[in-house]
Amino acid sequence: MAEKKYVFDFEEGDASKKDLLGGKGANLAEMTRLGFPVPPGFTVTTEACKDYLRTGGFPEGLWDEIVEAVRRLEQKTNKKLGDAENPLLVSVRSGAPLSMPGMMDTVLNLGLNNETVKGLIKNTGDERFAYDSYRRFIQMFSDIVLKVERNIFEKEITKKKEEKGVKLDTELTAEDWKELVERFKEIVREETGEEFPTDPWDQLRKAVEAVFNSWNNPRAQVYRRINKISDDLGTAVNVQAMVFGNMGNDSATGVCFTRNPSTGEKELFGEYLVNAQGEDVVAGIRTPQPIQKMKEEIPEAFEQLLKLMDTLEKHYRDMQDIEFTVEKGKLYMLQTRSGKRTAKAAVRIAVEMVHEGLINKEEAVMRVKPEQLDQLLHPQIDPNAKVEVLTKGLPASPGAATGKVVFDADLAEELGKKGEKVILVRWETTPDDIHGIVEAQGILTSHGGMTSHAAVVARGMGKPCVVGAEEVKINEEAKLFKVGDVVVREGDIITIDGSTGNVMLGEVPVVQPELTGELEELLKWADEIRKIGVRTNADTPEDARRAREFGAEGIGLCRTEHMFFGENRLPIVRQMILAEDEESRKEALDKLLPMQRGDFEGIFREMNGLPVTIRLLDPPLHEFLPSYTELSVKLVEKKLGGASKEEVEEIENLARRVKAMSEMNPMLGLRGCRLGLVFPGVYEMQVKAIIEAAINVKKQGYEPVVEITIPLVALAEELRILKERLNKVAKEVIEREGIDISYKFGTMIELPRAALTADEIAEHADFFSFGTNDLTQTTFGFSRDDAEGKFLPRYLEEKILKENPFEVLDKKGVGKLLEIASELGRSTNPELKLGICGEHGGEPSSIEFAYKVGLDYVSCSPFRVPIARLAAAQATLKNA
Amino acid sequence: MAEKKYVFDFEEGDASKKDLLGGKGANLAEMTRLGFPVPPGFTVTTEACKDYLRTGGFPEGLWDEIVEAVRRLEQKTNKKLGDAENPLLVSVRSGAPLSMPGMMDTVLNLGLNNETVKGLIKNTGDERFAYDSYRRFIQMFSDIVLKVERNIFEKEITKKKEEKGVKLDTELTAEDWKELVERFKEIVREETGEEFPTDPWDQLRKAVEAVFNSWNNPRAQVYRRINKISDDLGTAVNVQAMVFGNMGNDSATGVCFTRNPSTGEKELFGEYLVNAQGEDVVAGIRTPQPIQKMKEEIPEAFEQLLKLMDTLEKHYRDMQDIEFTVEKGKLYMLQTRSGKRTAKAAVRIAVEMVHEGLINKEEAVMRVKPEQLDQLLHPQIDPNAKVEVLTKGLPASPGAATGKVVFDADLAEELGKKGEKVILVRWETTPDDIHGIVEAQGILTSHGGMTSHAAVVARGMGKPCVVGAEEVKINEEAKLFKVGDVVVREGDIITIDGSTGNVMLGEVPVVQPELTGELEELLKWADEIRKIGVRTNADTPEDARRAREFGAEGIGLCRTEHMFFGENRLPIVRQMILAEDEESRKEALDKLLPMQRGDFEGIFREMNGLPVTIRLLDPPLHEFLPSYTELSVKLVEKKLGGASKEEVEEIENLARRVKAMSEMNPMLGLRGCRLGLVFPGVYEMQVKAIIEAAINVKKQGYEPVVEITIPLVALAEELRILKERLNKVAKEVIEREGIDISYKFGTMIELPRAALTADEIAEHADFFSFGTNDLTQTTFGFSRDDAEGKFLPRYLEEKILKENPFEVLDKKGVGKLLEIASELGRSTNPELKLGICGEHGGEPSSIEFAYKVGLDYVSCSPFRVPIARLAAAQATLKNA
């Protein structure tokens, strides 16, 4: 095996060698290759780092290579490391293949000691500059390499300023810095028990080692875990001849972007400081100037910079984030990389670059992170606002909302209708609160999880919602809530952020979403690319319209139960559930039929020509009933309060029937298709309503595309029987009306057994809709409501789980069931259509998984449709 | 293809041809082949039946073959079908490959008409006999072939007897029967609009067709579905020359067994009627005589019968159930088959036949149905008792119990301790009822399912229990319960049958179980054969001892939570759960430690030398807490009742904390290893107690074999962390005590995700214990408590499910996960031990599945250990 080459001069690399040279090194090499004014230097490879970490010492030959590289650098700069006359000074910087804040960053001015500083004075004629550079070097080196706390030095500077009665660092003299240099060295001796290294070679070796070791420092490890960066990459080390932006008023240092990273506008954007080194910008002692001002101050360098920026952007075909230094009027490029940007900017830049011919549509689509779009689709807390967070709950429905605290739904409705903005604050919400939720700006609950009533309803309405904010202790009687010692009374203003779960006192500035023309254009390209459909989960005509505007190609899940929660319907629904004979049940169903039909008509009209998948009633019936505990308490109150015998008996009767309906584990009880089998009337009414609605809108000239899905199937036989029964109902309606409606029957795959026996089930289904919310619950044995309140946060904190499986599809477990079900299902029914309609349908990594498994579509909430369209296109491109 | 042969004379077949000739035909052929006195005849094959049913008519050649066979029969008997002088009469009987009551059975005396009856008179000289035979034929033929209701004829006979002023059929004369024959033909004309067929060939063809068609009659279809008999088998038809047991006092008909089918004793057992046809025995008009009496009445035939019986048993090597007829002193054998028998008899016969050298041990083991053994292991309602069932619940814990109705646990304890027998009747039981359950003979609840508290506790104690008897409406205040109009008051005697779910008024005779020496011997042979271990689920030293007596080879599941329900422990457990700080939690745990240690010591001593798998705490903690609803009601009562502020506050405080612990779906909430991760102290205390107990008994000279299992793992990381933590605790104890204890760590596989990622989990486990109860719940999405109360009965009734998946392992879904998990688990850990410890561990078909998947052991409740041993041996033999 040829010996490894551990060190590359900038001239030897290029942008493609990121893995070996790190991002920074590769880009420096690229710029060098392009003939840009880059101070010369070399990169120690990630391979060297990995070998070092494996063996715990410099691998054979490495130091020799570094020495040789320094020799070459000396030739190029005509300076010499450690030379008292004409010393070479270098910067040492880490540079991993992926950007990694939290690692060791930069040591500047390496090579200085009591001898070489004299050479620097001689060369620059500026003693103060030289000692300032020297003390900076000691500070940085001590901090980063020797692990001496930075603020010990800062204190010493402060002390010196006090002694001298001055306020700014710039007011200290050369002599002051010189004294401080000696003091700093003493500090190092005190803190480490050793002398500060004076040999530049020794300094260099130690700095390189420190960079290597920083790969495994705890902050870096945590960062990698969170960002899913492999531990095996290692970091490179860049050693580069120093240039100085602090050599007078014809010197400067700055950063600039080739476009505006906030808005995406194609304009010069950046800032700089005259007579400064990079860290001064960071330190914030002096306020940097807008880059435009450089035109006046250092015109030549400015013009050159403009040209280079343009070249760089065209070369990299992306917006660049550039660091530069001007030393005595001469421009040096120190770094370039693709710049971070807001969602808005990302979209605009990507689209405009296509128009400019810089990139193609596929590249544009890959340039925007789907999750980022969320920012654009809801009102957001102004990112520039100073926000103080009172407490935090679960981010149940995104967006920000501000309003008066109100503790009951009636008052919320009353105030809301008057035009006042209110936030409804409840222990948990129930169907009885709907009228208040409708009128509130947002919802805050102290209990419940991501699928609690409040969360589901709020997401359906696109209304900001924070749930499970457990620190919020509500005292309804006293009309207040407490968070620790803070008391918030009814009428006080609060702001909730449903995107983060934050709860804040008072009003916090909010920015409104913009659906720009660029976004629409980008998504149109995404649509051309993607091979997996995007539908929406929508239960109302309003949701359907919004989703269609956002580009949904159909409804993948229309939940009929939410229609049952309507204020005027709940009493009828209760009558149906509690019916003690078939007659009174039928009576209630007859009353519900025209209402349901109306719901469906509205939705069919909005989705004209697009498929609408309607799920028959799914939740346990007692969700529609009052609480047994509350009834029991009421009963005792009435009894002891001397209420009439009739009144007591009525409550007793109700309580008895509610208790009979109650279940230990309602999620696994009498719900879904089990309802359809035990109380056939409900599903029959629903199918009647669906087909009648389809016929009615067809008469009006619309084109309804009907898909009916049967939930919670565990056994092929359940589906077979229900399909047979409901087909009969549908055919009767069609025959009676004499208008033909074609419709499909499918099933939810949301129980492990359904997935494992999908071959049998597929024989009775036109389509499968993967209900990954429930499938995640049963596969993990996690009740989402309980898990998110009781142990999931801890699991995530302790990294027992890397991600919340209710947000990001668990590929190993739930995903395996999806694969099994898809394969088995298609083995017996090759025409089977497959879709996913859990919340995962709007999550990019889950969408990619769905695409890879070969599903036909994903379905998500209206506000996530644009995200899904983009993610679906990216999935196609990534797996091309 | 050679033409099919559809008809076989008895001389052409043998016992091996059951599929083709049916059971009856094959055995008749076999007896003919052996030279037994069998009336000659032939069999129409099942193939003929199948071809007939497929085409809807006689297949080509069939009728010709039948005609030829009749001709041969005429030659053998020297009689002629339809001959007025010497007519051949035949019986026509169905005979499927498997015994199938519910199908068409027998037409006797076929061939009679107004002509041939004269020949019969001439041949027998008995006119009365001839017309009696004739009218019987018309009745049977009309009933079975022509579908005329039987009781129309019976009414006519009754009318005739009234006319004649007589009471018994035997008092009717030849003339009476002759008149009735004509009347019967009129009835047929009235009912069917057609003449009764007089042509014997026509009679025969119609009878054969009727047998064919009876294969698809609804009763037969239902029977096949229930007994899982394939619809494709078809039935054979046996046509045989008639012999008459009713030709005088030297004629007789009877049935006999080669051994006593109730006790298994090797003795002559049977009964007969002189001068009678088979149907007289069934009709019950005359009481049959014990077979021994035949020795006096028809000695020659009796001696011959004895010899033939002995030969038959030796030939078939099993107890035979024989039908015979004696015609004028001559013995004819009409049927032989393996006889049905009680469990007790089955065991005794199998074992004695081995001793007699008739069969080998393997055959003996295959001769007893494992499920039958259940009869032998619990007190049973006397099968001879006349029982009137008041209502029915779920059979939660087998055995019968009688006692006074008591509605509260305190009274049950009080009376029980006084030696009175009581049945505790509750809506549902709670941990607070334990002291009452201990002293009761049995438990009856109107709510809850097979895993409700009452069911689990009762099974653990081996105490009869019926749960979910929904018709039982309890009125605790009035101290009574009602079932419909029947009122049962406290102190009334009832009997419950936990094997069937029946509830009966008053005392019902009970038979006590016997563990005979034969059973022990049989099970010893089973142990020699089986290749899969049998352990027990036991939570107490008493259970452990009993299970060991029953042959358990270790404990596969020791649930520690039941130890927490003890009367003196519950308050401490509650203190631990409700602790608001770590200190008071630790205090409670410190109190529990010595108790748990004591539990484990007792169990280790009983299981000396055998493995004990202890499962760490599993259920949701609020199972140990009082009900929130009850607390809320109490709170209102106290408040309105003017209780002191302190008292109110105390309840308020408790209610608040109970509510905070409450969960929507506790089965999927904070339980199992999640408890161990969120409240580390509990598992640490338990492991400490386990290791300390093992050390203590080791000091006493016992040999504890410790296996610790961690429940409800969904993620490998859960197991890894807990194992690491608990290993540390164990090692600390071992180090402190200076006595080495080896122990293993494993996990329950009871969630689909655990099965699907078993390869990762196995890296941290010494063994897997399949918790198929929970795995069934999550795979189906069925909460057992809710399902068995709300929809499972309906599913079973409507055949949506063929079997209750909580009793019989669902091979397609849950079983697939077992296969996946076993394969994946062993792929990363070839040493992995696998066992099953759900209730399925004691169910024969599930045991066979476990054996086929390659598990190392099954574990079941103590009373099912013998069943499991036998089933395991049969699984080995069946799959050899």
Side-chain angles (χ1 to χ4, degrees), chain A residues 620 622 663-671 674 712 751 773-774 777-778 782-785, chain B residues 664-665 668 781-783 786:
Chain A
H622 65 79
E663 294 183 299
M664 294 287 296
N665 297 286
M667 237 242 343
L668 307 181
L670 182 56
R671 51 170 289 224
R674 302 161 198 172
L712 216 73
L751 295 173
N773 292 350
D774 270 347
Q777 297 198 85
T778 44
F782 285 179
S783 158
R784 184 169 187 178
D785 284 330
Chain B
M664 293 288 295
N665 296 286
L668 308 181
F782 286 179
S783 158
D786 301 318

Side-chain angles (χ1 to χ4, degrees), chain B residues 411-429:
Chain B
L411 185 59
E413 185 186 28
E414 191 190 321
L415 295 178
K417 285 199 165 149
K418 283 190 202 152
E420 290 201 52
K421 293 187 170 179
V422 301
I423 305 288
L424 182 61
V425 180
R426 300 280 286 156
W427 197 79
E428 253 184 349
T429 64

Side-chain angles (χ1 to χ4, degrees), chain B residues 523-754:
Chain B
L523 292 174
K524 223 184 61 210
W525 298 338
D527 291 345
E528 289 163 13
I529 293 163
R530 69 185 158 87
K531 298 222 175 77
I532 183 167
V534 175
R535 297 194 188 178
T536 190
N537 302 345
D539 309 341
T540 63
E542 297 71 43
D543 278 358
R545 187 184 319 125
R546 188 180 300 142
R548 196 168 188 166
E549 282 165 13
F550 280 159
E553 298 161 318
I555 291 180
L557 177 64
C558 172
R559 285 159 294 208
T560 52
E561 53 268 25
H562 295 142
M563 305 172 183
F564 281 27
F565 282 126
E567 211 183 342
N568 56 339
R569 301 183 182 184
L570 203 50
I572 310 174
V573 173
R574 287 184 177 169
Q575 181 194 335
M576 171 195 70
I577 296 168
L578 297 173
E580 300 210 81
D581 55 69
E582 276 312 304
E583 187 142 340
S584 87
R585 171 163 294 130
K586 200 181 164 312
E587 199 181 286
L589 286 171
D590 286 348
K591 275 190 242 171
L592 286 171
L593 175 64
M595 297 176 176
Q596 282 259 292
R597 191 172 53 219
D599 297 327
F600 297 136
E601 286 173 4
I603 291 170
F604 284 142
R605 274 193 291 263
E606 291 295 346
M607 298 308 281
N608 183 26
L610 296 180
V612 176
T613 309
I614 298 170
R615 180 177 74 185
L616 302 181
L617 195 68
D618 183 45
L621 293 183
H622 65 80
E623 278 197 13
F624 300 98
L625 300 179
S627 126
Y628 177 66
T629 298
E630 280 170 30
L631 284 174
S632 303
V633 167
K634 196 167 159 193
L635 187 60
V636 180
E637 284 172 349
K638 291 285 178 190
K639 271 184 182 166
L640 297 179
S644 72
K645 202 181 156 199
E646 290 73 33
E647 204 180 343
V648 168
E649 274 181 359
E650 198 189 312
I651 301 173
E652 230 163 21
N653 198 26
L654 180 60
R656 183 180 52 72
R657 283 184 288 166
V658 168
K659 179 153 194 187
M661 295 294 302
S662 78
E663 293 182 299
M664 293 288 295
N665 296 286
M667 237 237 352
L668 308 181
L670 181 56
R671 50 169 290 225
C673 67
R674 302 162 198 171
L675 284 175
L677 288 159
V678 174
F679 302 112
V682 182
Y683 279 14
E684 285 170 16
M685 178 277 284
Q686 292 197 298
V687 168
K688 219 164 159 181
I690 292 167
I691 302 295
E692 288 180 357
I695 288 173
N696 287 353
V697 303
K698 195 171 177 184
K699 282 184 193 162
Q700 294 160 1
Y702 293 93
E703 187 196 337
V705 184
V706 183
E707 301 183 343
I708 300 169
T709 182
I710 291 170
L712 215 72
V713 163
L715 300 149
E717 194 63 7
E718 292 172 323
L719 182 61
R720 193 192 63 75
I721 292 174
L722 283 171
K723 190 179 162 186
E724 190 178 290
R725 228 181 253 168
L726 298 174
N727 244 330
K728 216 176 121 219
V729 172
K731 290 216 159 67
E732 274 167 13
V733 176
I734 289 170
E735 206 158 297
R736 190 188 66 208
E737 297 291 322
I739 292 190
D740 198 25
I741 291 290
S742 74
Y743 57 89
K744 287 178 178 170
F745 268 112
T747 182
M748 305 292 292
I749 300 289
E750 51 191 340
L751 295 173
R753 196 180 189 283

Side-chain angles (χ1 to χ4, degrees), chain A residues 70 92 201 209 212 226 252 299 314 336 382 408 483 503 543 546 550 561 573 579 585 635 680 705 821 853 862:
Chain A
V70 171
V92 178
W201 290 101
E209 275 188 292
F212 287 163
I226 293 170
K314 289 207 172 101
T336 189
D382 185 339
D408 83 279
V483 175
V503 179
D543 278 359
R546 189 180 297 142
F550 281 161
E561 53 268 24
V573 173
R585 172 164 294 129
L635 187 61
V705 184
V853 171

